[in-house]
Amino acid sequence: MTVSPARPVPALGTGPQDLSVWPASASAGTDGDVTVAGVSLREAASRFGTPVYLLDEDEVRARCRAYAAAFPGADVVYAAKALLCRAVARWVREEGLGLDVCSAGELELAVTGGFPAERIVLHGNAKTPEDLRTAVRLGVGRIVIDSVTEIARLATLVAPGDRQQVLLRVVPGVAAGAHPAVRTGTDDQKFGLSIGDGSAEHAVEKVLGQPRLELVGLHCHIGSQIADVEPYLVAVRRMVALLATIRDRHGIALPQLDLGGGHAVPYRAGEPALDLTALAGAVRTELAGACADSDLPVPRLTVEPGRAVVGPAGVVLYHVLAVKDMGGRTLVAVDGGMSDNPRPALYGVRYAPLLVGRPSPAPLRPVTVVGRHCEAGDVITADALLPADVRPGDLLAVPVAGAYHLSMASTYNMIGRPPLVGLHRGTARVLVRRESLADMEMRDIGE
Ligand SMILES: *Cc1c(COP(=O)(O)O)cnc(C)c1O
């Protein structure tokens, strides 16, 4: 890794007791321990081992409810790629949300776990024949078409006499999102059909020419970790303009508009979150105004939050294995890393690890928390503030680990993916077990 000379303490630094980005249930004790949902992190680490992902069920449910309350009359669809297991699918289902999936795998897991297929939306810029077949077989509610070739391919899978509801994924030409890898609203990335070059309109014609497909609306997802309302309002105006063009050309007013997800959450104290209530109010007003201007009925809205539902509900625990001073920096190495959290390497995200499990009178100092993988880029956070006496055997907790952690985990270095443990009112139970060497050996059948 590139070890930079000691930098000034970042302005976003947090004190050891700052739990502002943690689940609402988190509470710090005087003994240095922290509880989440009434469960001691020290006890969780000794019972389940580390690394371990913890997930606060009530926090997930509260976030689902906040969306339902902010967007009355809209479909709130949880983006399963952020984190999917049977328990999370059940919580989301019980809270009345839909589910957005990107593969036959996510779809099968949800449906076999009891998620109603009609509340599921299938996405994907390059859906495989297996994805499409599974979606049609299980009766998925809506499929979001992402390319012209997909139209005929899907139509041939639908039984004569049936109609599959579809939306078209459109690129509204809005650049938003915290990193180039998550900006999906412009013409220079792989998702969707461009409004600018006419391919969106061409696709509309193609879908309308397929009697087994029912075009119910347009979809866009402009990016991820978006903290401002404005990009969504620009997207609304462009999408309504396209709805008006479709009405003028084909005489139909499409009844649905799906605005995707991408709502930002803070990973460190002081970072911005997207204000849900402000977003919902502004989108409603913008949509009503734009539709009135074009003399269109207001379409039913869908939003697809992933990160904002599960991200802040998760915490990952690590043990410190080694501490060393190199190049003027202190490196704190833990027993996980890029295999359980590739996000720092992918998007340069920074986290705020906290020493938990023992009190420390030592002053805070900036350190680099690194993983145990054989890559110099295996850095969890380059400018963490930890007590100066941090040492091997200490427990570190990293908050906001609920989204895009387990779902992006790999078997790199055959460490095995950590378990996911659900926390609920003082109890902890394993939702997804730790991946063992036996699991990995079982797949290795050659010689
Ligand atoms: C990833 C994704 C989402 C969710 O994004 P978040 O940033 O987790 O809210 C929603 N819709 C689509 C189509 C996506 O690809």
Side-chain angles (χ1 to χ4, degrees):
M1 72 183 236
T2 352
V3 180
S4 47
R7 272 180 282 154
V9 175
L12 291 174
T14 63
Q17 303 297 317
D18 189 334
L19 299 177
S20 58
V21 301
W22 283 60
S25 69
S27 142
T30 48
D31 59 353
D33 199 7
V34 170
T35 60
V36 174
V39 174
S40 145
L41 298 193
R42 189 164 48 205
E43 282 171 26
S46 70
R47 180 171 158 203
F48 301 106
T50 58
V52 57
Y53 305 112
L54 306 173
L55 191 68
D56 180 340
E57 175 178 342
D58 281 343
E59 181 75 24
V60 174
R61 289 183 182 272
R63 287 173 171 274
C64 292
R65 279 178 215 151
Y67 268 98
F71 290 93
D75 289 330
V76 180
V77 174
Y78 166 63
K81 71 176 196 262
L83 174 64
L84 184 64
C85 62
R86 289 182 206 283
V88 168
R90 178 170 63 80
W91 305 343
V92 164
R93 164 170 61 79
E94 288 172 355
E95 297 303 333
L97 273 56
L99 197 71
D100 139 4
V101 300
C102 297
S103 70
E106 290 178 351
L107 179 55
E108 286 268 9
L109 187 111
V111 171
T112 56
F115 209 98
E118 66 275 11
R119 269 159 61 187
I120 298 182
V121 181
L122 175 71
H123 283 282
N125 74 297
K127 300 174 195 74
T128 64
E130 173 66 7
D131 294 335
L132 291 173
R133 262 199 309 274
T134 308
V136 171
R137 170 171 60 82
L138 295 176
V140 156
R142 290 171 283 173
I143 297 178
V144 181
I145 301 239
D146 204 298
S147 70
V148 171
T149 44
E150 196 171 279
I151 297 168
R153 197 181 289 162
L154 172 60
T156 58
L157 295 172
V158 179
D162 279 357
R163 294 192 89 194
Q164 173 65 52
Q165 293 200 342
V166 299
L167 294 124
L168 270 191
R169 178 156 180 173
V170 165
V171 187
V174 181
H179 186 277
V182 297
R183 284 177 208 142
T184 51
T186 54
D187 280 353
D188 54 358
Q189 49 78 53
K190 68 176 185 171
F191 294 99
L193 296 144
S194 164
I195 298 182
D197 72 1
S199 41
E201 278 185 57
H202 175 61
V204 168
E205 264 165 49
K206 289 270 180 203
V207 174
L208 293 175
Q210 291 286 355
R212 293 180 199 175
L213 302 184
E214 179 188 0
L215 182 62
V216 294
L218 301 179
H219 171 277
C220 68
H221 170 72
I222 54 180
S224 213
Q225 262 309 72
I226 300 168
D228 299 323
V229 167
E230 187 55 30
Y232 290 99
L233 305 185
V234 177
V236 165
R237 286 193 289 272
R238 299 202 178 147
M239 299 296 275
V240 171
L242 182 56
L243 288 173
T245 306
I246 294 168
R247 188 263 329 266
D248 295 344
R249 292 248 171 110
H250 305 283
I252 47 166
L254 298 179
Q256 295 182 27
L257 178 60
D258 186 335
L259 285 182
H263 313 153
V265 300
Y267 282 82
R268 304 195 298 176
E271 290 177 356
L274 181 59
D275 180 338
L276 255 195
T277 319
L279 174 72
V283 162
R284 208 177 296 125
T285 307
E286 192 72 32
L287 185 58
C291 289
D293 292 346
S294 301
D295 199 19
L296 277 170
V298 176
R300 183 176 173 87
L301 199 62
T302 299
V303 286
E304 304 177 325
R307 182 193 321 273
V309 171
V310 291
V315 175
V316 58
L317 297 180
Y318 302 107
H319 272 108
V320 174
L321 295 177
V323 177
K324 50 178 165 173
D325 289 311
M326 281 180 80
R329 299 284 294 171
T330 299
L331 305 186
V332 175
V334 298
D335 56 357
M338 66 194 302
S339 65
D340 62 78
N341 180 9
R343 301 187 63 256
L346 283 172
Y347 322 119
V349 189
R350 292 139 102 196
Y351 287 83
L354 195 68
L355 173 67
V356 295
R358 72 167 172 91
S360 169
L364 298 180
R365 63 168 178 181
V367 299
T368 299
V369 178
V370 299
R372 59 174 291 202
H373 292 278
C374 304
E375 296 251 341
D378 179 25
V379 175
I380 290 171
T381 216
D383 53 5
L385 282 178
L386 288 175
D389 65 352
V390 65
R391 56 186 180 245
D394 275 341
L395 199 54
L396 294 188
V398 179
V400 203
Y404 306 110
H405 278 234
L406 177 56
S407 68
M408 286 186 154
S410 74
T411 52
Y412 186 38
N413 289 147
M414 289 203 176
I415 287 174
R417 289 170 285 182
L420 177 69
V421 172
L423 308 181
H424 187 57
R425 305 193 182 164
T427 62
R429 72 187 169 104
V430 177
L431 305 177
V432 178
R433 69 164 169 78
R434 185 181 299 283
E435 190 170 35
S436 64
L437 178 58
D439 290 326
M440 290 179 272
E441 281 174 336
M442 218 161 8
R443 297 182 60 229
D444 187 337
I445 54 172
E447 234 177 300

